[in-house]
Amino acid sequence: MCNKKDIYILAIETSCDETAAAVVKNGTEVLSNIISSQIDLHKKYGGVVPEIASRKHIENINPVIEEAMQQAKCSFEQIDAIAVTYGPGLVGALLVGLSAAKGLAFALQKPLVGVHHIEGHISANYIDNPEFKPPFICLVASGGHSHLVYVKDYGEYEVLGHTRDDAAGEAFDKVARALGLTYPGGPQIDRLATKGDPESIHFPRAYLEEDSYDFSFSGLKSSVLNYLNQAKMKNEEINIPNIAASFQEAVTEVLVEKTIKAAKDKKVSKIAMAGGVAANQGLRKKMQKRCKEEGLQVQYPSLILCTDNAAMIGSAAYYEYKKGIRHQWDLNAIPGLKLGQ
Ligand code: KG4
Ligand code: ZN
């Protein structure tokens, strides 16, 4: 039940292929977290089709918001602010959530708080562990982004590096597709990797320049594709679990080592992970092992809060709201929104 000393935020997320709404109390307590996934619709195209995503968001947005409110046992009057992702993401998809949020905020005369999608992913870490506070280094790895972020304080970010080509999740999805697996391929590679030998095939690791925190996964992806083509030409047997395990090993090694290096360079003792790829069991294990060796604390969200959801947007919005951040009716969708912009 809603109790008025607390801050209740209704959050909306429609940046890609999930229509999501949540009610979050005081930034960390999730009263409802409704996610309507469109994965089955996009599966046959091997990836998200923007036009289909926008149309589906329009159909889903009102029922998803209603369900979030019902589950939270909250009335609209009790909500303190409406939060919404305004970028980065697919412009048509973002506009659906943004229009719904503006409409609600205007009709209810509640403040509107726009949230950066990556800030939402990072904030998912506060939900599962309210004791976990900045400063920390956050590895954000999803289908659209691979960022290494120095979180100095709530809402204060320094982007240390990002991908120069494919995002980590994109590499998982493209390799999975080449292996004949359906979209999204990340969870399937994760599962197959447990049955394979990660040292059976050596795929390249792109560490780039010595001091660089940037990532690059397209060379690795090409190397897997070449390996598959050559094996097919030579009529050699293709061991899919071994390829999945060796590919995953190459991706996660670079992600983990760069994150640890950033924590040491910035002299912070805490590491967090966020985004869909943070659900990867191999990545979690490797990060835990290396953090233990280096004496660093590691935190990652529960599986449901790693992939796109609105609870993480409600958490990020709480800290923005407390700082007095309010957006006006001219807030627009920004597909290429930079963190800290
Ligand atoms: O954060 P997210 O839901 O959407 C974006 O903001 O992009 O991330 C989706 C991405 C997809 O590329 C998916 O394959 C990947 O996260 N993913 C995984 C796993 N679960 C989801 N990648 C590796 N292992 C997983 N278990
Ligand atoms: Zn995301």
Side-chain angles (χ1 to χ4, degrees):
M1 281 296 286
C2 286
N3 163 353
K4 247 3 274 173
K5 268 178 273 127
D6 300 306
I7 304 290
Y8 293 83
I9 294 185
L10 167 62
I12 297 170
E13 153 66 44
T14 62
S15 67
C16 191
D17 60 344
E18 261 93 29
T19 318
V23 178
V24 180
K25 177 180 164 188
N26 299 332
T28 57
E29 203 179 314
V30 179
L31 302 187
S32 62
N33 187 21
I34 309 300
I35 305 166
S36 170
S37 174
Q38 306 176 3
I39 282 178
D40 286 343
L41 270 179
H42 299 283
K43 230 174 204 159
K44 64 177 167 195
Y45 305 102
V48 178
V49 183
E51 179 65 19
I52 295 177
S54 318
R55 284 169 189 267
K56 209 63 201 166
H57 283 313
I58 292 173
E59 281 173 30
N60 290 342
I61 191 75
N62 286 343
V64 164
I65 292 172
E66 267 168 39
E67 205 179 328
M69 293 300 292
Q70 274 169 15
Q71 229 179 66
K73 298 190 172 55
C74 244
S75 71
F76 281 118
E77 286 68 33
Q78 289 165 312
I79 293 291
D80 294 282
I82 313 287
V84 64
T85 308
Y86 71 106
L90 303 169
V91 69
L94 287 164
L95 279 170
V96 178
L98 196 58
S99 307
K102 280 189 198 173
L104 273 174
F106 185 78
L108 301 168
Q109 299 197 313
K110 306 278 181 188
L112 176 72
V113 181
V115 174
H116 191 291
H117 183 74
I118 293 181
E119 180 172 19
H121 274 302
I122 294 170
S123 305
N125 284 288
Y126 306 135
I127 295 175
D128 285 324
N129 183 2
E131 301 301 309
F132 188 79
K133 295 183 166 79
F136 58 87
I137 297 291
C138 191
L139 168 67
V140 188
S142 72
H145 326 275
S146 295
H147 278 53
L148 206 45
V149 183
Y150 176 23
V151 183
K152 296 177 180 177
D153 203 343
Y154 295 105
E156 260 187 60
Y157 308 102
E158 181 185 339
V159 178
L160 303 174
H162 46 71
T163 184
R164 293 187 187 172
D165 38 59
D166 291 351
E170 199 180 345
F172 268 96
D173 295 338
K174 287 178 177 168
V175 165
R177 196 172 178 182
L179 293 174
L181 308 169
T182 52
Y183 173 84
Q188 302 193 58
I189 291 199
D190 194 0
R191 209 170 38 248
L192 283 165
T194 60
K195 300 183 191 123
D197 174 3
E199 278 161 26
S200 54
I201 310 157
H202 185 83
F203 290 125
R205 277 84 165 139
Y207 279 99
L208 307 171
E209 306 80 36
E210 204 187 328
D211 289 332
S212 176
Y213 288 119
D214 282 351
F215 300 107
S216 168
F217 297 109
S218 70
L220 167 61
K221 175 194 67 189
S222 303
S223 172
V224 177
L225 300 185
N226 285 342
Y227 176 90
L228 281 169
N229 286 339
Q230 283 186 12
K232 274 178 202 158
M233 279 190 317
K234 291 183 201 156
N235 254 336
E236 282 172 4
E237 192 204 335
I238 293 171
N239 183 322
I240 293 183
N242 277 351
I243 298 173
S246 302
F247 161 75
Q248 184 170 290
E249 183 68 17
V251 177
T252 56
E253 182 188 302
V254 177
L255 291 175
V256 168
E257 292 311 323
K258 291 215 175 208
T259 310
I260 302 251
K261 184 176 181 301
K264 285 174 152 179
D265 288 354
K266 292 289 173 191
K267 298 188 174 43
V268 298
S269 60
K270 290 181 276 184
I271 280 178
M273 296 197 286
V277 180
N280 186 271
Q281 298 304 322
L283 176 64
R284 288 176 171 216
K285 271 196 207 129
K286 196 184 281 291
M287 190 69 94
Q288 267 174 331
K289 180 172 173 284
R290 289 289 291 118
C291 283
K292 201 171 168 199
E293 285 167 5
E294 300 289 343
L296 299 164
Q297 184 190 334
V298 63
Q299 167 76 35
Y300 37 79
S302 53
L303 290 179
I304 191 73
L305 295 177
C306 283
T307 43
D308 288 350
N309 65 87
M312 67 185 196
I313 303 301
S315 176
Y318 170 76
Y319 299 100
E320 301 283 306
Y321 177 86
K322 294 262 282 184
K323 279 188 192 167
I325 291 177
R326 308 285 185 268
H327 285 97
Q328 304 307 313
W329 305 127
D330 61 356
L331 180 67
N332 207 350
I334 306 180
L337 185 65
K338 300 270 180 293
L339 194 61
Q341 193 172 310

